[in-house]
Amino acid sequence: MRRFAAEHGDPFRVLTFNGPITFVGHPEALRAIYTADPETFEPFGVEVTEPVFGRTSVVVSTGTRHRRDRKLLAAPFAPAAAKSYATVVADVAREAASQWTPCQPFSMLEATQSIALDIVIRVVFGVRGEARIRDVRAAVLDLIHAVHPLILIMPAIRRPFRGFGPWARMLRARAALDALLGEEIRALRASGEERADVLGLILKTRYEGGDGLGDREILDQLRALLFAGHETTAVSLAWAFYWLHREPDTLARLLAEIDALGPEAPFEKLLGLPYLDAVCLETLRIAPPVVSVGRMPRKTFALLGYTFPPGEPLVPSPLLLHTREELYPEPERFRPTRFLERDFSPFEFIPFGGGGRRCLGATLAMVEMKITLAILLREYQLRLASVAPVEHVQRGLTMGPRGRVPMMLEGRRLPAPSAARGSPTRSEPRAGTAG
């Protein structure tokens, strides 16, 4: 990507089987795109991602529907709500770490995928009870594994074929998960219980006219939140552990900041740590998980002296933007202090996209990253099981580390938390105090 920009300039156009696509990484180009009237563009790749995001989710909807659904979904992801999930995040992280064996290698990527998935199940879906969580987890994994790349890039093969083939398998897996989530929705509606998880807040929130989302619409939103928020957070966490353990001085500084708060630090204090925040931001800069979210202009669009016809996708590229030397000197270095030295505008740093389609779950993702890193680094001593560099590669709809990110548990830095603090019975969204 950087080589193309160096050879052809920024923006540059790539010819594909589906027509030209233009990639942009210039801050002024991003300003023009992100501040344009939202009606100027429509989402790119809706047909490709339909098996994952559906047709009604906020990820792919447009116009009035997109604006009203985004407004409705804002409450469950507001900063206060996201921070209230810290207790669940800490419990889930500890549960995952309890499976590690000292002096035995394990996959950090698989660990963070497990953590991120259980957070979605408990915080977003609001599932309770270990047996029920296991059932939903199994259904989610079945669906994730059933989303074959061919059905994304070749819509023509989306045929049932008498119940055989990848499309039929995906439909069965999606129906099975929808059935479980539908039961959750109906049970919560019938109980009238007010809950702090995302599903509970969605059911509670109403449009201005007093109506709420229907069950089918909620299912589309929940599946979209699963696919938009699970793998992205998992790969970012795996990268953070990788980079911290490749840079011992960076790890030592972060541990000193965390340890200074003491073993019973309130979650609010952990979330406010400036160097921890900088580590998370630098991870998202150097290895952005989502790099190809495009927009298609509905009419001719002018950008940096170029004119783009209606329907030609424009892709704001964090891979280009986050490696601009004038913004990020030595862009290949993992250097969190750059985020303490200056502030970056919404057109200079875009790990969560921008404009009217910026990721609704950005605050929750940052809470997940900060609390997971703070809890596990404070309580466990880890090291990389291999010193070989890890590449940033395409992994389905997202980018992430090549391989499993093997790590080794060397021992505990702190004693195991008490049963009262670590019990699964506390794995429900609520306001947290001590970490």
Side-chain angles (χ1 to χ4, degrees):
M1 189 74 73
R2 292 180 67 191
R3 178 171 58 83
F4 285 161
E7 292 176 359
H8 306 289
D10 183 355
F12 64 85
R13 176 180 282 150
V14 175
L15 298 180
T16 73
F17 289 112
N18 297 316
I21 299 176
T22 296
F23 294 87
V24 296
H26 193 290
E28 289 309 309
L30 299 182
R31 183 188 299 275
I33 293 171
Y34 288 154
T35 60
D37 184 331
E39 296 303 310
T40 304
F41 301 101
E42 57 185 81
F44 167 56
V46 171
E47 184 178 7
V48 172
T49 60
E50 182 181 359
V52 172
F53 295 133
R55 283 280 181 178
T56 66
S57 73
V58 73
V59 177
V60 297
S61 61
T62 60
T64 301
R65 178 177 196 119
H66 178 263
R67 289 193 300 274
R68 69 169 193 160
D69 285 359
R70 187 176 176 88
K71 184 176 181 180
L72 183 142
L73 291 169
F77 294 100
K83 291 176 182 179
S84 74
Y85 306 140
T87 300
V88 183
V89 175
D91 286 347
V92 169
R94 286 183 175 121
E95 289 169 21
S98 70
Q99 306 302 310
W100 301 340
T101 302
C103 302
Q104 293 292 321
F106 67 93
S107 167
M108 180 55 78
L109 179 58
E110 291 176 8
T112 56
Q113 286 172 327
S114 174
I115 290 168
L117 178 55
D118 272 17
I119 290 170
V120 169
I121 291 171
R122 301 183 195 199
V123 166
V124 177
F125 298 167
V127 179
R128 300 180 178 182
E130 290 305 308
R132 187 67 172 179
I133 288 171
R134 282 195 299 272
D135 290 344
V136 174
R137 184 189 299 120
V140 168
L141 291 173
D142 282 348
L143 178 56
I144 290 173
H145 295 149
V147 180
H148 195 282
L150 285 178
I151 66 176
L152 298 179
I153 62 176
M154 297 177 62
I157 71 167
R158 295 175 189 173
R159 302 282 190 275
F161 295 117
R162 297 181 180 272
F164 295 97
W167 181 245
R169 180 189 175 197
M170 193 283 296
L171 290 179
R172 287 193 297 271
R174 190 171 68 185
L177 177 60
D178 283 358
L180 289 172
L181 295 181
E183 292 172 2
E184 295 290 324
I185 294 169
R186 291 188 293 275
L188 187 52
R189 284 193 193 279
S191 72
E193 179 186 2
E194 291 195 3
R195 292 202 327 223
D197 53 71
V198 172
L199 175 57
L201 293 175
I202 288 175
L203 291 177
K204 178 182 177 181
T205 308
R206 293 286 184 268
Y207 296 122
E208 291 181 358
D211 294 330
L213 290 173
D215 288 6
R216 174 48 54 186
E217 295 170 310
I218 292 175
L219 287 172
D220 271 0
Q221 302 293 358
L222 293 179
R223 271 189 274 101
L225 293 170
L226 164 67
F227 281 94
H230 165 234
E231 187 71 4
T232 51
T233 305
V235 297
S236 296
L237 273 169
W239 272 125
F241 280 105
Y242 167 81
W243 279 110
L244 285 167
H245 289 85
R246 277 189 67 89
E247 303 289 341
D249 291 344
T250 302
L251 177 60
R253 177 169 176 175
L254 178 58
L255 286 174
E257 182 182 66
I258 294 170
D259 290 345
L261 293 179
E264 300 289 338
F267 291 124
E268 291 81 359
K269 294 289 187 181
L270 292 173
L271 291 170
L273 290 174
Y275 196 64
L276 176 60
D277 183 65
V279 164
C280 294
L281 297 178
E282 178 70 344
T283 300
L284 293 167
R285 180 200 69 82
I286 202 169
V290 180
V291 299
S292 56
V293 177
R295 291 161 164 78
M296 296 189 299
R298 288 193 166 101
K299 57 185 179 180
T300 300
F301 188 73
L303 189 69
L304 297 183
Y306 299 93
T307 300
F308 296 91
E312 177 170 330
L314 300 174
V315 179
S317 172
L319 290 175
L320 294 177
L321 178 65
H322 293 176
T323 54
R324 294 182 73 92
E325 293 271 0
E326 72 273 21
L327 291 175
Y328 305 101
E330 299 180 281
E332 304 304 326
R333 280 190 59 199
F334 185 76
R335 193 171 70 83
T337 52
R338 69 177 88 240
F339 285 93
L340 301 177
E341 296 164 355
R342 60 158 291 187
D343 293 326
F344 294 90
S345 79
F347 317 113
E348 296 172 330
F349 183 61
I350 58 168
F352 299 108
R357 289 189 172 273
R358 186 176 187 271
C359 175
L360 277 169
T363 301
L364 176 58
M366 289 296 288
V367 169
E368 288 186 52
M369 289 186 69
K370 290 180 182 181
I371 294 300
T372 300
L373 287 171
I375 293 296
L376 297 186
L377 291 174
R378 184 179 67 187
E379 297 180 7
Y380 293 90
Q381 185 170 343
L382 303 166
R383 67 174 175 86
L384 290 171
S386 170
V387 296
V390 177
E391 293 180 272
H392 191 44
V393 298
Q394 194 72 40
R395 298 173 53 92
L397 294 175
T398 63
M399 291 193 74
R402 183 189 295 278
R404 302 169 64 247
V405 189
M407 298 197 73
M408 193 89 73
L409 171 64
E410 295 193 325
R412 294 197 65 99
R413 296 183 71 242
L414 289 177
S418 67
R421 290 177 60 216
S423 170
T425 61
R426 296 183 60 175
S427 295
E428 297 175 5
R430 60 183 182 81
T433 53

